[in-house]
Amino acid sequence: MDPVSLGLGVVSAVLQTYTAVTAAYDVYLSVKDFPSTYQSLQTAFMVERIRLEEWGKQMLSDVQQQRVEQSRENEALWRLFQAVFDAMWVAFQESNKTMENIGSLAGVSKSGEMSDLELLESMQLSVKSPPKRSVLGLTRTIKFVLRDRKKMEDLVQKLCYWNNSLDTMTSRLEQQSRRRSLRVKLSTGDVDQLRDLQAAATLLQHRDLEEMASARTVIEKSFRSEKPAPTAGAPTVPPEIASSKPGVDDFRLEMNQLDWHGIPFMTDQIRAVATYKDQGIIVDWRLCRDDSWRTQNPKAFRQRTENLTKVLNSDLRALGVAILPCVGYLDQSSTVTGYAFRMPPHVPLGQKPLTLHQLLTTVSKTADVPDLGERFELAKTLVSTVFEILNIGWLHKNIQPKNVLFWPRIGTKDDPDYSKPYLVGFDISRPNQPGEMSEKPLSDPNDDIYRHPRYRAANSGPFLPSFDMYSLGIMLFEIGTWRNVGYQGQRRSSRPNLETHNSDPHYIEKVVLPGPVMDLKRHMGAKYRDAVMACLSQDLDAIWDPVRPFESPEARLQCFQTEVQARVVDAIAVCSA
């Protein structure tokens, strides 16, 4: 038999079994009338269904099919796909013979001439538009099967195992991209859905989904707890949501609890180092531009401080974010608060970090410029961090090089470890919620240059997620050129040389975009340059235009995150030296 015929046979068999498996998933996801205590199990099936769908988009695309049909080069791999799909189908069939029982009670007899796929398709019709008795029979049967929780857990865990097997047949970058897409699709502001997602993720050992759901739950509860008390007759916030009450300072620290190394208070510095419970601590002191809201609403300000600390205290390591764990907060005054972060374990007590701003503005020789590979990895880490922060429903609002910290590599005194940057400066950050009180940072021309032109305007309107991406884009440009965007140095270099900036809010589009950004291709490649352009072009702002309709705020954020992933995150992820 010729290779083309063999290829066609393999493709047809794989696609047929893949369709049968997805249809089996849909049977479980289509039935809604079963005990609410089993919602997390249905969520688990949904997670694995989405995983399979995302995998199929990448690996069963028309392009991939043509490669197999035209050559036997990938035939062995597709036969492995077939084996995994067969195992998934068997798992569904062996689940207490669920398919035959459902078919019998739904009025669809399994004759010798009817294949499993045909039976399943018939049962799908029974779910969507069957006679009334068939719906009741089908619902009763699935409710009966779902009551055997152990068998249902075994089934979905088997499906998870086989999805994991499919993942191992793809590259690490493809796996990471699909995980990002999965997190984007599953991120929601509904605390009930988040609870079910967290339970499902725990069952299936999806640590990244578990941490995302946990952090998003903290944010949603925190946001609702900051809302003013309802008026008489208005619906109240459920007690499980309003679990954090104003005045409860679980994370508040006193100044005398820390052993300070140097000056503890905010004078001419914004950070201080200390020791707390035998661990190195760095305190990020912060002020906002206008403290009138803090002064007039001390309880609300204290509640926000407590809520922000809870978010930063969340375990987000599985998401790959470069954020230090926050152990508490301190008050220097009624309007000045410091957030205490635990320093990396290898850092000697009392050692101060370097900022990206310092490294960019003190380059005197070629050896001060990190290798290309180091700059790519630094960019990837910061891009992933900002992406995941936005995906859990949070806005940073002050992304700039002064808020990116480095400590020396292990065994060195002053050699920065570029592989481990840490993003700080969260004081004015807030939930991405409409109507949320929003503060602005202190204004300084050297800092304002990193802020979106619309945000720098007198009547700026609400802060948008695309504004954070704009700030990130400027930092990506700086990492590519290893030059501060507003700094005119004396170093001779072939890298783009910029005019000294001023307070013009359109400096980036007037000076940086016309030439220097385009020149990034010579130093970092076309994909990196295009990703920076995507951040700085302000095209992403259009997704947040109020005239553009979306079903919900979650749908708008999902659309935005999908665009950011395709144009920025995944694009930079493939860059290598």
Side-chain angles (χ1 to χ4, degrees):
M1 186 177 294
D2 63 278
V4 173
S5 299
L6 284 171
L8 286 171
V10 171
V11 169
S12 176
V14 168
L15 294 179
Q16 182 180 17
T17 316
Y18 174 80
T19 302
V21 171
T22 55
Y25 271 112
D26 292 339
V27 167
Y28 285 88
L29 295 176
S30 297
V31 177
K32 303 183 184 303
D33 184 18
F34 59 87
S36 59
T37 54
Y38 284 72
Q39 285 289 346
S40 62
L41 268 176
Q42 190 180 43
T43 300
F45 277 96
M46 179 183 68
V47 168
E48 296 308 315
R49 171 68 167 83
I50 295 175
R51 288 184 67 197
L52 181 62
E53 181 182 28
E54 292 296 317
W55 184 92
K57 287 179 182 178
Q58 279 189 347
M59 303 308 298
L60 304 182
S61 64
D62 292 340
V63 173
Q64 298 286 1
Q65 292 177 39
Q66 290 173 5
R67 289 177 180 172
V68 179
E69 292 170 357
Q70 295 171 4
S71 170
R72 297 185 63 178
E73 180 180 353
N74 295 321
E75 182 183 338
L77 182 62
W78 276 61
R79 291 195 182 280
L80 284 177
F81 296 166
Q82 177 67 44
V84 173
F85 293 149
D86 285 341
M88 287 183 173
W89 181 245
V90 169
F92 274 112
Q93 288 182 305
E94 289 181 348
S95 180
N96 201 28
K97 297 184 178 180
T98 304
M99 300 305 165
E100 292 186 17
N101 291 338
I102 293 175
S104 176
L105 288 180
V108 182
S109 60
K110 180 169 181 181
S111 63
E113 295 78 23
M114 182 176 286
S115 68
D116 289 329
L117 179 58
E118 291 171 333
L119 171 63
L120 193 58
E121 289 174 343
S122 299
M123 292 191 306
Q124 278 188 287
L125 293 175
S126 298
V127 172
K128 293 177 181 177
S129 56
K132 188 173 182 180
R133 253 184 278 179
S134 298
V135 170
L136 293 177
L138 178 62
T139 302
R140 281 198 303 269
T141 304
I142 289 188
K143 285 178 68 175
F144 173 78
V145 174
L146 283 173
R147 285 195 182 97
D148 192 340
R149 189 181 188 94
K150 183 63 171 63
K151 288 190 176 181
M152 293 301 297
E153 289 178 350
D154 288 345
L155 171 59
V156 76
Q157 285 174 326
K158 286 180 183 178
L159 297 172
C160 177
Y161 171 83
W162 291 118
N163 271 334
N164 292 342
S165 300
L166 291 173
D167 281 343
T168 63
M169 300 178 199
T170 61
S171 71
R172 178 179 58 85
L173 291 176
E174 289 171 330
Q175 293 177 42
Q176 291 173 345
S177 177
R178 289 197 300 274
R179 294 304 293 195
R180 281 190 285 267
S181 297
L182 180 66
R183 292 193 293 270
V184 167
K185 287 192 172 185
L186 293 174
S187 185
T188 175
D190 188 309
V191 292
D192 292 329
Q193 292 179 16
L194 289 170
R195 180 194 60 230
D196 293 333
L197 175 60
Q198 189 170 356
T202 301
L203 172 67
L204 301 174
Q205 299 183 29
H206 292 317
R207 184 63 177 156
D208 59 332
L209 297 182
E210 188 179 355
E211 291 182 3
M212 181 194 75
S214 175
R216 188 76 194 258
T217 300
V218 171
I219 290 171
E220 294 302 323
K221 289 183 177 181
S222 299
F223 168 70
R224 300 188 189 196
S225 69
E226 288 182 20
K227 290 299 173 187
T231 57
T236 58
V237 177
E240 68 273 13
I241 294 176
S243 58
S244 178
K245 298 180 180 180
V248 179
D249 300 326
D250 297 332
F251 291 96
R252 184 177 179 180
L253 302 174
E254 300 297 335
M255 296 291 292
N256 58 11
Q257 289 182 264
L258 278 67
D259 182 14
W260 298 92
H261 301 273
I263 302 173
F265 292 103
M266 183 175 181
T267 53
D268 59 344
Q269 63 179 2
I270 60 172
R271 297 184 182 98
V273 293
T275 302
Y276 175 65
K277 294 184 178 180
D278 298 324
Q279 294 180 320
I281 298 295
I282 183 165
V283 177
D284 204 17
W285 295 109
R286 290 287 159 172
L287 288 168
C288 62
R289 186 181 305 182
D290 180 1
D291 64 3
S292 58
W293 176 76
R294 300 184 177 192
T295 304
Q296 297 168 12
N297 302 274
K299 289 185 178 180
F301 173 55
R302 177 59 55 81
Q303 183 63 49
R304 172 169 292 188
T305 302
E306 180 81 13
N307 291 339
L308 175 59
T309 306
K310 290 179 181 178
V311 174
L312 297 176
N313 184 259
S314 302
D315 186 357
L316 302 175
R317 287 174 295 179
L319 299 180
V321 298
I323 299 176
L324 294 167
C326 183
V327 299
Y329 67 91
L330 305 97
D331 292 329
Q332 181 174 325
S333 68
S334 61
T335 58
V336 179
T337 298
Y339 293 88
F341 295 93
R342 186 186 303 118
M343 293 194 291
H346 71 275
V347 175
L349 295 178
Q351 185 172 48
K352 294 184 178 181
L354 291 171
T355 67
L356 180 58
H357 174 79
Q358 290 173 304
L359 296 172
L360 292 171
T361 55
T362 56
V363 177
S364 60
K365 55 185 183 298
T366 303
D368 293 331
V369 180
D371 294 339
L372 179 61
E374 290 180 310
R375 281 180 280 140
F376 276 140
E377 292 307 311
L378 171 57
K380 293 174 187 179
T381 300
L382 294 176
V383 165
S384 295
T385 297
V386 174
F387 178 80
E388 298 298 345
I389 289 173
L390 294 175
N391 197 53
I392 61 174
W394 200 261
L395 301 172
H396 187 282
K397 298 181 59 188
N398 198 15
I399 295 173
Q400 58 164 304
K402 292 180 181 178
N403 288 330
V404 178
L405 308 182
F406 301 89
W407 275 272
R409 302 177 193 272
I410 298 176
T412 67
K413 291 184 178 180
D414 53 8
D415 185 15
D417 188 349
Y418 295 108
S419 68
K420 295 180 180 178
Y422 297 98
L423 184 64
V424 292
F426 284 90
D427 182 54
I428 61 167
S429 66
R430 65 169 178 84
N432 180 21
Q433 297 280 5
E436 179 76 2
M437 177 60 198
S438 188
E439 297 179 298
K440 285 192 172 184
L442 294 174
S443 180
D444 179 276
N446 294 312
D447 298 337
D448 289 343
I449 195 172
Y450 295 95
R451 288 162 193 145
H452 194 287
R454 283 169 54 185
Y455 189 57
R456 295 174 65 178
N459 299 316
S460 60
F463 190 94
L464 303 177
S466 56
F467 294 0
D468 268 342
M469 292 304 302
Y470 178 88
S471 302
L472 176 64
I474 299 176
M475 282 210 308
L476 292 176
F477 168 78
E478 293 179 317
I479 292 169
T481 61
W482 207 251
R483 184 190 298 275
N484 182 272
V485 71
Y487 178 74
Q488 182 65 41
Q490 301 299 320
R491 176 171 58 95
R492 293 183 179 180
S493 172
S494 62
R495 299 184 184 282
N497 199 21
L498 304 179
E499 301 174 9
T500 303
H501 82 86
N502 53 37
S503 58
D504 185 355
H506 300 285
Y507 167 78
I508 298 297
E509 60 187 283
K510 289 180 180 179
V511 177
V512 180
L513 281 175
V517 165
M518 300 306 294
D519 200 42
L520 273 177
K521 180 180 178 181
R522 291 195 297 117
H523 307 289
M524 306 294 284
K527 290 184 181 296
Y528 190 96
R529 176 205 60 193
D530 292 345
V532 174
M533 286 290 295
C535 295
L536 299 181
S537 65
Q538 302 180 37
D539 291 345
L540 296 172
D541 297 351
I543 297 176
W544 299 94
D545 192 327
V547 302
R548 186 169 177 178
F550 281 92
E551 294 180 0
S552 65
E554 284 80 11
R556 190 183 297 272
L557 178 61
Q558 185 178 119
C559 175
F560 173 80
Q561 289 291 89
T562 301
E563 189 78 4
V564 168
Q565 178 180 346
R567 298 181 62 184
V568 183
V569 188
D570 286 354
I572 287 184
V574 300
C575 295
S576 61

